[in-house]
Amino acid sequence: MSLKENLDRVKERLAGAAAKSNRSPNDITLVGVTKTVPEKVIAEAWRLGLRDFGENRVQEALPKMETLPPQISWHFVGHLQSNKVKFVVPAFSLIQSLDRMKLAKELQKEAEKHNSKVKILLQVNVAEEKSKFGLSPGEVEDALVEISAYPNIAVKGLMTIAPLVPDPEEVRPYFRRLHELFQQIRVPQVEMCCLSMGMTNDFEVAVEEGANMVRIGTAFFGERQE
Ligand SMILES: *Cc1c(COP(=O)(O)O)cnc(C)c1O
């Protein structure tokens, strides 16, 4: 299938899932996750109308960005090492993967140098998997209160990576739980707008459960050789 057909197919499925939760697909941001995807394919996705792209490795992302339209909104979706913070802050519009409080401190320091406000999502390990990064649901509220005191960080919402299972119905309770948390938590100065959940395998379930941002790699660009 061509990239255009892949995009159309995902949009169709997204619209179906949005309808089930009484929402318009226009309220759901599609992020194309382009790790291992060459620049010319990303450029084609841009020409086909995709505006948000996600990368998980700084060393791979920066050289690609140089050749691509500067209007692209780049999302950082990987585990961010402290020594890479200085590259990520000026290059990405949203860091979706704030997965530990130490990173907040480092992002604050770097954003202050640039006199900018870095936008982040808190990564929540809803299923509390040992193998995954992220805060546990019980830590989210205190973390938000703490981060809201950092003048150069703007928290925009929550992100999760659900366990990889053959049947996405199995992870529906995790998406539901995060959506509840997203709706319940109120922290002064924090405007929670993004709920980033859902990938190729489970995005329809995630959208039915309230996601307003999905991160799609394989369904757009095909299987990765990793
Ligand atoms: C790779 C990746 C995705 C996309 O995964 P697919 O299953 O290929 O859609 C989404 N989110 C994160 C954090 C990723 O690393």
Side-chain angles (χ1 to χ4, degrees), residues 31-35 54-56 76-79 96-97 123 159-161 164 196 198-203 214-224 226:
V31 180
V33 179
T34 50
K35 55 195 187 209
E55 286 278 343
N56 67 341
F76 192 79
V77 299
H79 174 61
Q96 294 209 9
S97 44
Q123 182 173 346
M159 177 273 229
T160 196
I161 304 172
L164 188 61
S196 173
M199 306 174 25
T200 292
N201 195 47
D202 55 18
F203 75 91
V214 295
R215 310 175 308 268
I216 308 293
T218 311
F220 286 154
F221 307 110
E223 293 287 342
R224 288 178 292 271
E226 275 172 314

Side-chain angles (χ1 to χ4, degrees), residues 128-191:
E128 309 207 40
E129 290 176 283
K130 291 251 176 355
S131 60
K132 288 229 171 83
F133 293 105
L135 284 81
S136 65
E139 294 172 324
V140 170
E141 185 148 19
D142 285 350
L144 290 176
V145 170
E146 198 177 324
I147 299 172
S148 69
Y150 287 128
N152 295 78
I153 299 183
V155 182
K156 291 291 170 189
L158 307 177
M159 177 273 229
T160 196
I161 304 172
L164 188 61
V165 290
D167 178 5
E169 282 302 329
E170 277 181 55
V171 293
R172 187 183 290 277
Y174 298 124
F175 291 143
R176 186 167 294 172
R177 172 90 204 274
L178 196 65
H179 183 240
E180 279 166 11
L181 203 60
F182 177 75
Q183 288 190 309
Q184 283 162 6
I185 287 186
R186 290 286 167 271
V187 174
Q189 328 295 335
V190 174
E191 188 204 355

Side-chain angles (χ1 to χ4, degrees), residues 61-68:
L62 296 182
K64 283 169 152 182
M65 286 175 178
E66 284 182 19
T67 70
L68 288 161

Side-chain angles (χ1 to χ4, degrees), residues 85-169:
V85 164
K86 59 178 178 292
F87 304 114
V88 166
V89 167
F92 287 83
S93 0
L94 180 67
I95 298 171
Q96 294 209 9
S97 44
L98 193 138
D99 56 11
R100 60 197 188 282
M101 290 310 286
K102 182 168 164 269
L103 185 58
K105 202 177 219 173
E106 285 154 358
L107 287 169
Q108 164 58 33
K109 244 195 264 168
E110 190 60 33
E112 202 175 323
K113 280 188 213 160
H114 293 267
N115 202 11
S116 66
K117 204 152 176 156
V118 59
K119 292 188 197 135
I120 65 111
L121 305 182
L122 262 197
Q123 182 173 346
V124 186
N125 183 3
V126 213
E128 309 207 40
E129 290 176 283
K130 291 251 176 355
S131 60
K132 288 229 171 83
F133 293 105
L135 284 81
S136 65
E139 294 172 324
V140 170
E141 185 148 19
D142 285 350
L144 290 176
V145 170
E146 198 177 324
I147 299 172
S148 69
Y150 287 128
N152 295 78
I153 299 183
V155 182
K156 291 291 170 189
L158 307 177
M159 177 273 229
T160 196
I161 304 172
L164 188 61
V165 290
D167 178 5
E169 282 302 329

